[in-house]
Amino acid sequence: MFPAERPRRLRRTAALRRLVAETTLTPDDMVAPLFVAESLREPRPIASMPGQSQHTTASLHAEVRALHQCGVGGVILFGVPSEKDDVGSGAYDPEGIVQLALRSLRDEFGDDVVLMADLCLDEYTSHGHCGIVRADGTVDNDATLELYGRTAVAQAGAGAAVVAPSGMMDGQVGAIRAALDGSGFEETVILAYAAKYASGLYGPFRDAVEVEIADGGDRRAYQQDSRNRREALREARADVEQGADIVMVKPAMTYLDVVADLRRELDVPICAYHVSGEYAMVKAAAANGWIDGAAVALEQLTAIRRAGADFVLTYFAREVAEELGR
Ligand code: PBG
């Protein structure tokens, strides 16, 4: 007999499919991560992330202008300093590279583009860890918090509307909220990298920011273990209690269950970071002619939205926004 249910009816035309689509992806839902390097004369392409570069202040402005024109919701800045030290001073120096870039973008774009700053020490430390390292090689949680507070205040003072702590220290959100409030930055938003996993997918990013962790070390003593799911919810709840306005899951594709959990259990906005390795895999396969890169990028970003993310941090932001605008 013929089936009574005929789901294909609603798939017959593109217009019908658009009408009944459960998930949307628009440029507003995307944030572009951008790298700005100190004392660079020309933008420097990042080999493992085709289409992405370390920017000069001038090329950064041009990129943000293009992103703004195609409607991308925001940008998040990462700094590449020319000097690093063991306490990551460049992160909280009012004249540090990200602070200079923020001030300059703020002058041009005001509040038209959401300006975010990644808040961490790893790009600025000589040992590549996200915090202060003790003599025995372990990361000192509480000593690091004080520097995160100073970094938040420097970034907010330079014009960041959103600071995004990514170091995975315990209590970082509370410490940063207190530091911001104590300096008159009550309105600065905290986007917490709440469920950030120790992942093999950050490889290209570490090339992009020229970070190498000393002595072949890793971040497993502070980033989450990919075998754990409940733990992500516990940490995200703790971040919200400490004052996080938005929480993030990172990476995205391998943690969509976590995105769905946080969506169901929390009522703050949720985002996910489609990270450098996820971008590089799509680019590499597409360059070999093995997949249609644009189609896969759109499918992945849509899946992240479908799982429950309100927005996505993605290196595909400009490419996909331009495609959506056509
Ligand atoms: C840490 C930080 C990292 C990324 C964003 N913030 C790297 C890490 O934890 O080692 C990775 C982003 C990406 O891979 O795209 N400051």
Side-chain angles (χ1 to χ4, degrees):
M1 280 305 285
F2 297 112
E5 274 265 348
R6 287 195 175 268
R8 284 186 54 188
R9 265 182 212 135
L10 296 177
R11 297 184 195 137
R12 193 174 57 82
T13 69
L16 268 170
R17 292 192 294 271
R18 277 197 299 276
L19 190 69
V20 300
E22 297 174 33
T23 307
T24 56
L25 175 74
T26 70
D28 290 322
D29 308 321
M30 293 188 276
V31 171
L34 298 173
F35 303 103
V36 57
E38 202 167 25
S39 56
L40 197 62
R41 316 229 336 217
E42 293 293 325
R44 182 189 296 156
I46 301 161
S48 53
M49 300 177 70
Q52 305 296 314
S53 298
Q54 288 183 354
H55 286 287
T56 63
T57 308
S59 71
L60 180 71
H61 273 259
E63 184 64 22
V64 176
R65 232 170 272 139
L67 287 161
H68 183 42
Q69 241 153 40
C70 56
V72 169
V75 297
I76 180 162
L77 299 190
F78 293 90
V80 186
S82 21
E83 309 263 322
K84 306 188 187 216
D85 59 31
D86 58 356
V87 291
S89 334
Y92 38 91
D93 179 349
E95 302 301 313
I97 180 61
V98 160
Q99 279 69 260
L100 295 179
L102 284 167
R103 241 177 250 124
S104 160
L105 291 175
R106 182 75 189 211
D107 283 346
E108 177 173 348
F109 299 98
D111 280 325
D112 292 346
V113 176
V114 181
L115 291 182
M116 306 186 176
D118 181 81
L119 196 171
C120 198
L121 300 186
D122 65 322
E123 290 101 27
Y124 306 91
T125 53
S126 39
H127 44 70
H129 275 293
C130 298
I132 296 298
V133 175
R134 299 190 188 94
D136 67 359
T138 58
V139 174
D140 184 337
N141 194 87
D142 297 8
T144 301
L145 294 183
E146 199 252 321
L147 299 182
Y148 283 1
R150 282 167 65 179
T151 306
V153 169
Q155 293 175 337
V162 179
V163 297
S166 64
M168 294 298 283
M169 296 300 128
D170 293 340
Q172 62 183 11
V173 173
I176 288 166
R177 186 72 271 161
L180 286 170
D181 292 353
S183 297
F185 296 113
E186 292 87 356
E187 305 220 310
T188 305
V189 171
I190 298 180
L191 189 179
Y193 285 66
K196 177 174 179 180
Y197 285 88
S199 171
L201 291 162
Y202 306 145
F205 172 93
R206 291 182 193 162
D207 285 349
V209 292
E210 298 165 14
V211 168
E212 201 180 325
I213 307 174
D215 307 321
D218 58 46
R219 308 203 195 293
R220 293 183 187 279
Y222 41 101
Q223 297 181 346
Q224 288 182 20
D225 187 319
S226 63
R227 291 167 290 199
N228 298 348
R229 177 171 177 174
R230 290 190 305 268
E231 185 184 35
L233 182 56
R234 202 159 70 235
E235 276 206 61
R237 278 208 179 103
D239 280 357
V240 172
E241 274 160 26
Q242 289 171 42
D245 300 288
I246 307 175
V247 294
M248 187 201 290
V249 175
K250 174 185 175 181
M253 299 309 298
T254 32
Y255 301 93
L256 293 182
D257 54 338
V258 176
V259 174
D261 285 354
L262 299 200
R263 169 72 302 148
R264 200 171 46 247
E265 301 291 336
L266 305 176
D267 50 17
V268 293
I270 309 260
C271 64
Y273 197 146
H274 188 260
V275 300
S276 59
E278 299 179 279
Y279 175 82
M281 288 194 291
V282 175
K283 284 289 178 189
N288 276 296
W290 296 336
I291 61 171
D292 173 345
V296 172
L298 190 61
E299 182 178 336
Q300 294 198 350
L301 300 183
T302 304
I304 297 165
R305 291 267 299 140
R306 192 191 63 232
D310 295 292
F311 63 93
V312 187
L313 283 76
T314 171
Y315 302 98
F316 280 115
R318 180 168 171 189
E319 203 176 312
V320 169
E322 283 173 350
E323 185 68 30
L324 291 171
R326 262 193 269 280

